[in-house]
Amino acid sequence: MKIHVHELNASGASRTIRETLDVSALFKGRRDVLSAGPLRVDLAARGVQDGMAVVEGELAIEVAMPCSRCLKPVKISVAVPFREHFKVGREPQTEEEAELFIAVPDNEIDLTPYVEEAVQLELPLVPLCAEDCKGLCPECGKDLNEGECGCDRTPIDPRLAALKDLFPR
């Protein structure tokens, strides 16, 4: 997925990028992503001024992640809006400029690392199988969505917690 900034500026036309990327290596070693489908990329690149290009569009991927409460696998569809400005040549001089564009050293820009970063940043931090997921029992580990386990989960005053083991039930 490469674009040439000078070609985009010279032609004045927009270039459409529609690809499907295998991002399985991107999530390898991560415990919070069980599996990931292909990443669908639908972007448009256009030159806006000499040495600057805008790439915008949408990225979509389906991932399986463990529910944060009960640990069951959850399929999640993630749609990521993508919009970046790239400028060939000089580095940004101020913080405001650094927020406006990404400086690239060459005319040819590989969009793959920027797309991968956008997808990773958009993944949910706390995926849930359902909003009302009850999670696991902290005593025995039973899934409380399947029914109660019978454990006594009454909160104990922390000042008296040490006395709990003195009097078995």
Side-chain angles (χ1 to χ4, degrees):
M1 269 192 332
K2 295 184 179 184
I3 60 169
H4 296 273
V5 177
H6 295 310
E7 285 179 17
L8 291 172
N9 284 312
S11 70
S14 178
R15 178 174 168 228
T16 302
I17 303 165
R18 286 194 177 98
E19 290 187 27
T20 302
L21 299 176
D22 178 23
V23 290
S24 56
L26 182 65
F27 300 113
K28 191 173 186 169
R30 285 185 59 165
R31 292 182 177 170
D32 63 335
V33 178
L34 303 174
S35 66
L39 174 63
R40 292 177 302 284
V41 177
D42 186 13
L43 301 173
R46 60 185 166 82
V48 289
Q49 66 184 31
D50 190 33
M52 186 176 272
V54 175
V55 180
E56 55 190 344
E58 187 173 85
L59 314 169
I61 190 169
E62 285 193 6
V63 295
M65 301 177 82
C67 175
S68 292
R69 294 182 187 159
C70 68
L71 301 179
K72 287 183 182 173
V74 180
K75 286 222 177 253
I76 300 170
S77 295
V78 180
V80 182
F82 185 86
R83 182 179 174 91
E84 292 290 350
H85 290 75
F86 297 96
K87 185 166 185 146
V88 177
R90 71 176 181 90
E91 291 291 320
Q93 303 298 317
T94 64
E95 263 187 54
E96 291 80 26
E97 276 188 359
E99 292 178 13
L100 293 176
F101 63 85
I102 297 171
V104 290
D106 298 324
N107 175 41
E108 183 179 80
I109 302 169
D110 184 10
L111 296 174
T112 305
Y114 301 103
V115 165
E116 289 175 347
E117 178 184 26
V119 168
Q120 287 190 17
L121 290 174
E122 201 66 29
L123 290 179
L125 294 175
V126 183
L128 296 174
C129 61
E131 286 297 319
D132 60 344
C133 178
K134 296 177 183 174
L136 302 175
C137 172
E139 296 295 321
C140 67
K142 182 179 190 281
D143 187 353
L144 297 175
N145 294 314
E146 298 170 359
E148 283 297 319
C149 59
C151 294
D152 181 21
R153 292 189 304 274
T154 310
I156 297 174
D157 186 339
R159 296 170 292 179
L160 303 174
L163 298 175
K164 180 181 97 172
D165 297 331
L166 293 176
F167 303 103
R169 295 176 195 230

